[in-house]
Amino acid sequence: MRIAFATEENRGLNSVVSSRFGRARYFIIVDYEGGEVKSYRVEVNPGSEARSGAGIKAVQKLINEGVNVAVAGSFGPNAMTALGEMGIRHVGMSGITVEEALNRLKNQL
Amino acid sequence: MLEMAIASGKGGVGKSTVSAIIAITLARRRKVIVVDADADAPNMHLILGLGEEWEWEQPYSESMVARIVTEKCIKCGECRAVCPYKAIYVDEEGNYVVNPVICEGCETCSLVCPVKGAIVREETLSGMLRMTRTRYGFPLISARLEPGRPNSGKLVTEEKTKAKEMADDDTVIVVDSAAGIGCQVVSSLAGANMAILVAEPTPASFNALKRVHKLTKHFMQPAAVVINKWDMNPDIAAEIEVYARENNLDMLGKVPFDDSIPKSMAMMVPVTEAFPDSPASKALLEVARRVEAILDEWSSWFMRFRPKKPEPYRPIIIKPEGF
């Protein structure tokens, strides 16, 4: 299971989940298996630099990274549609660290 | 931290006036930051009686335009012939020059240029981000675009990021959105905890209200409605009220048409200060008090007015790159 957390900071699993998806600065992409973090990496979200169409660029990034679940506070109309079409689950959560979010998520995965 | 976005879809219906009075009222008891998210026509500083004095201003650039390096240019004229925007001209000295205002950064010129490095792509000034403190105790974050430079969700995000950097846990951020339902308005609403939708009783504004309401439903945001100049057309005002009731939008109030509002704008003094006893001032203050009450009872209001289901969306298909 590969989960992408939208964040504004690059502090690994201690980064706080952003209130927004498409224009978040980073994605912390976590490989999560059997209730454990196997590995994670930090990727710059190309949507954060986009003048428009940020949501689509962000989803394209997650598709390329093979992500199964996206976590952020809110998702824009284009992002939501694209995630839905690609079968990437979206989970609304923000203001807590990636680690805390993983703890809350683990029973639902 | 709580973020509220004021939107209307249609322009000129009173978003900024409503935002200003709400911010001034809230700031008596709370920490408030106002974001003027309309960089095409920023006006919040004018409504609040501020001039063009800013505590800080910083250049904002995001557009890329072409520049011809005169020393390398062989003056073949290929670029000028292909430029779809006719942005390239020959100056008095016979040099090929790109007009950065017209250039869209499409790179057609660099594709046909036979000389390597004679046309470079560089950032151009899009506008300015700026901040000032108002005499009502809250800071105002605003942006101003250069003519012809496109407004963007990115610029609104930059403004909101500045606001969040200054905010505490209990700060209320009031985002006065631009008109429309495009990228910049999506960006104004994204991440907001609630929306206040302003309408006037005209078919155009009612229609725009429904369109922007789709966006707040998409974001699953609880929303409230203010009808401005309601007595200009009580019938449509009544229709808007019915729409609000049927769609679980909180009706915050109706502001009557009152020339104290344009007069106060000309004076650059908020109407509640310039003409405190005018009917519009009283109605606006009532709206602001209702907003205070919403914040006081936030969780119950949120549960009551949060959309029950999100707006359905139309399909967009993206495939993995390289497949």
Side-chain angles (χ1 to χ4, degrees):
Chain A
M1 169 95 26
R2 192 165 281 177
I3 313 168
F5 296 86
T7 68
E8 303 300 332
E9 49 187 9
N10 179 359
R11 296 203 295 129
L13 301 181
N14 291 320
S15 311
V16 173
V17 179
S18 175
S19 63
R20 47 197 305 176
F21 171 76
R23 293 188 180 280
R25 206 142 292 177
Y26 302 103
F27 288 125
I28 313 275
I29 298 176
V30 179
D31 279 324
Y32 194 74
E33 294 303 335
E36 269 179 63
V37 175
K38 292 292 176 200
S39 65
Y40 73 87
R41 60 183 189 280
V42 182
E43 295 283 338
V44 171
N45 170 17
S48 68
E49 286 302 314
R51 212 154 70 187
S52 58
I56 297 290
K57 292 187 178 74
V59 176
Q60 181 76 67
K61 177 76 181 165
L62 299 198
I63 293 167
N64 295 346
E65 298 289 337
V67 165
N68 312 104
V69 182
V71 184
S74 66
F75 298 81
N78 289 340
M80 193 90 118
T81 312
L83 289 170
E85 288 295 314
M86 294 310 295
I88 297 176
R89 233 178 99 190
H90 64 271
V91 178
M93 241 184 231
S94 67
I96 51 175
T97 66
V98 171
E99 198 158 17
E100 288 164 339
L102 267 171
N103 275 331
R104 289 197 202 174
L105 265 176
K106 66 179 165 204
N107 300 327
Q108 308 170 34
L109 294 175
Chain B
M1 186 163 42
L2 190 137
E3 199 181 309
M4 65 174 76
I6 289 78
S8 65
K10 186 182 175 302
V13 299
K15 277 184 301 298
S16 302
T17 300
V18 168
S19 306
I21 307 305
I22 288 174
I24 292 170
T25 306
L26 292 181
R28 290 181 196 147
R29 275 176 47 206
R30 293 166 202 270
K31 223 185 133 188
V32 170
I33 301 175
V34 175
V35 174
D36 185 350
D38 186 357
D40 277 318
N43 59 7
M44 185 55 85
H45 61 297
L46 301 175
I47 287 178
L48 294 172
L50 303 158
E52 295 288 344
E53 299 280 313
W54 301 92
E55 193 171 309
W56 54 255
E57 272 190 281
Q58 62 186 59
Y60 172 75
S61 42
E62 58 167 35
S63 315
M64 302 294 276
V65 294
R67 184 173 65 83
I68 296 171
V69 184
T70 307
E71 300 75 49
K72 291 188 181 170
C73 175
I74 56 166
K75 302 186 173 50
C76 65
E78 293 278 336
C79 55
R80 187 172 171 220
V82 298
C83 175
Y85 300 97
K86 309 243 180 294
I88 300 173
Y89 64 98
V90 183
D91 71 5
E92 288 125 15
E93 283 143 39
N95 294 323
Y96 284 78
V97 182
V98 178
N99 181 340
V101 176
I102 301 174
C103 177
E104 290 279 322
C106 70
E107 291 187 279
T108 308
C109 52
S110 28
L111 283 173
V112 300
C113 179
V115 185
K116 197 164 178 268
I119 301 182
V120 293
R121 212 162 161 259
E122 53 190 32
E123 278 196 334
T124 180
L125 182 72
S126 295
M128 302 295 278
L129 262 177
R130 63 260 176 104
M131 192 279 281
T132 189
R133 279 169 211 281
T134 66
R135 61 197 160 92
Y136 306 99
F138 57 81
L140 166 68
I141 292 169
S142 171
R144 173 178 65 86
L145 282 167
E146 294 297 311
R149 289 288 154 231
N151 205 333
S152 70
K154 190 181 169 203
L155 177 53
V156 173
T157 307
E158 299 266 334
E159 290 189 81
K160 295 215 300 193
T161 304
K162 293 276 179 220
K164 283 177 192 157
E165 282 166 11
M166 297 172 71
D168 297 337
D169 286 349
D170 50 2
T171 301
V172 179
I173 299 179
V174 178
V175 181
D176 180 22
S177 125
I181 55 169
C183 193
Q184 34 178 339
V185 180
V186 171
S187 204
S188 297
L189 289 169
N193 304 85
M194 65 175 287
I196 295 175
L197 310 179
V198 184
E200 57 182 23
T202 60
S205 177
F206 188 15
N207 187 42
L209 172 83
K210 291 176 188 164
R211 283 159 64 78
V212 76
H213 178 217
K214 279 190 182 178
L215 269 184
T216 63
K217 273 191 290 185
H218 162 84
F219 282 118
M220 293 289 279
Q221 279 157 338
V225 174
V226 176
I227 306 178
N228 193 15
K229 312 179 210 171
W230 73 271
D231 47 349
M232 280 193 331
N233 190 336
D235 291 345
I236 300 184
E239 279 179 46
I240 297 175
E241 279 188 88
V242 170
Y243 177 84
R245 200 162 42 239
E246 287 175 351
N247 289 279
N248 197 32
L249 293 163
D250 192 9
M251 196 54 222
L252 284 189
K254 297 192 288 185
V255 181
F257 179 80
D258 180 346
D259 64 4
S260 66
I261 290 187
K263 278 183 190 160
S264 69
M265 284 174 116
M267 292 158 67
M268 286 176 66
V269 178
V271 64
T272 48
E273 242 173 83
F275 304 102
D277 296 322
S278 67
S281 287
K282 286 182 178 160
L284 283 165
L285 284 174
E286 185 52 35
V287 166
R289 274 192 288 270
R290 289 286 307 277
V291 176
E292 274 196 307
I294 287 173
L295 299 183
D296 287 340
E297 302 161 27
W298 173 252
S299 349
S300 61
W301 186 83
F302 178 83
M303 294 311 285
R304 182 164 166 213
F305 290 102
R306 184 168 210 219
K308 301 296 171 269
K309 58 179 198 303
E311 179 68 12
Y313 45 77
R314 71 199 143 75
I316 295 175
I317 294 164
I318 314 179
K319 298 229 155 58
E321 274 169 355
F323 282 80

